[in-house]
Amino acid sequence: MTEIDGMGTERARCVLAPNPSAMTLDGTNTWIIAEPDSEEAVVVDPGPEDRAHLKRVLDTVEARGRRVGLVLLTHGHPDHSAGAGTFARLAGGVKVRALDPRHRLGDEGLAEGDVVTTGGLELRIMETPGHSDDSLTFWLPADGAVLTGDTVLGYGTTVVEGRLGDYLASLDRLRRFAADVEAAVILPGHGPKLDDPIAALDHYIDHRRERLAQVEAAVAAGARTAREVVERVYADVDRSLWPAAEASVQSQLDYLNGR
């Protein structure tokens, strides 16, 4: 993959965290969002506890004559949230808002239907559980941009740590929403932006349905545990990814068993 620093839209700019891995792809995308004439910016997912990265994000904000007005988290996984407290202090003690109270700084959370207006922005909040129970998606209508966190990635597929039924419902909801508002771009938590949101979401939905059918077939052939399913269905996948695959398979087995 090529360097994706500077990727974004008129109002959203990406600063890539230096934490590439099989799970984080090129690294975590930290999004800086601001109205063109605003003195305040919103930072989404400061990323891991990496002071050099956090300082770079702050320098990027300040280089445009702005200050950080607020930090938002798409979810609480450490590669997105671990640096949030340090970043908030570096930025002068700003608030951190998240769905999960454990990841907040300040009294305000984030929930379905909230609208963030810091710095004149309009960011609308949707709860999209599945990748994690606390996963959120942000809609930036001025740019037609959907910030999906890890619910939809720039390439590859995401791990489902929550309930598969919730994740499938979230994908279906995002597909309908993207069509209704004519979304122009997906800005993911990892990987490059996606300039055809409908095609990306269709791919994700089709992939999940295909995997679910493969898991059903593996169970019918005698697989009983998530590990046994992974050995059959993910035989061509790098074994370093098998533990993550097991988590996704377990969610599929639970789904098939009505849990």
Side-chain angles (χ1 to χ4, degrees):
M1 292 297 297
T2 58
E3 172 66 46
I4 64 170
D5 240 6
M7 157 183 93
T9 63
E10 181 181 4
R11 291 166 179 80
R13 181 177 182 186
C14 177
V15 180
L16 181 65
N19 61 334
S21 72
M23 295 298 294
T24 60
L25 307 183
D26 308 293
T28 301
N29 294 338
T30 295
W31 291 102
I32 300 169
I33 308 174
E35 286 293 327
D37 58 352
S38 176
E39 295 180 355
E40 281 190 314
V42 172
V43 172
V44 175
D45 292 348
E49 183 66 78
D50 182 312
R51 196 174 182 88
H53 168 67
L54 301 174
K55 184 64 165 59
R56 186 171 171 223
V57 174
L58 185 58
D59 288 346
T60 301
V61 173
E62 293 179 344
R64 284 160 175 74
R66 297 186 176 118
R67 61 183 178 274
V68 179
L70 182 65
V71 173
L72 304 179
L73 299 178
T74 61
H75 63 298
H77 284 162
D79 57 309
H80 294 256
S81 69
T86 298
F87 181 77
R89 289 189 291 275
L90 288 172
V94 300
K95 294 179 180 179
V96 177
R97 296 179 62 182
L99 178 59
D100 188 335
R102 294 174 298 177
H103 301 294
R104 300 173 188 167
L105 282 179
D107 298 329
E108 280 192 285
L110 279 179
E112 176 72 31
D114 284 351
V115 181
V116 173
T117 57
T118 300
L121 280 172
E122 181 182 338
L123 272 176
R124 296 188 172 272
I125 312 304
M126 295 184 284
E127 294 185 21
T128 48
H131 169 69
S132 64
D133 290 337
D134 66 333
S135 287
L136 298 172
T137 292
F138 306 147
W139 165 238
L140 178 61
D143 285 350
V146 187
L147 286 84
T148 54
D150 285 2
T151 299
V152 177
L153 305 179
Y155 62 93
T157 56
T158 196
V159 174
V160 179
E161 292 187 0
R163 290 164 49 90
L164 180 61
D166 290 342
Y167 185 61
L168 293 174
S170 292
L171 291 179
D172 286 341
R173 180 192 181 191
L174 285 174
R175 172 60 169 80
R176 292 192 301 272
F177 178 81
D180 288 345
V181 300
E182 298 182 353
V185 63
I186 287 175
L187 304 179
H190 303 277
K193 66 178 181 176
L194 299 168
D195 291 319
D196 190 339
I198 299 300
L201 287 161
D202 282 345
H203 170 72
Y204 258 63
I205 292 166
D206 290 346
H207 173 79
R208 282 295 160 191
R209 297 296 181 187
E210 180 182 342
R211 280 296 193 208
L212 192 59
Q214 291 172 336
V215 170
E216 285 186 290
V219 170
R224 291 294 174 262
T225 66
R227 176 70 180 197
E228 290 174 354
V229 171
V230 167
E231 290 172 353
R232 292 171 182 263
V233 175
Y234 292 81
D236 59 343
V237 173
D238 188 326
R239 289 196 175 213
S240 68
L241 298 176
W242 278 19
E246 280 189 59
S248 283
V249 167
Q250 187 60 58
S251 71
Q252 293 174 82
L253 292 174
D254 291 343
Y255 178 79
L256 292 171
N257 289 320
R259 296 197 292 272

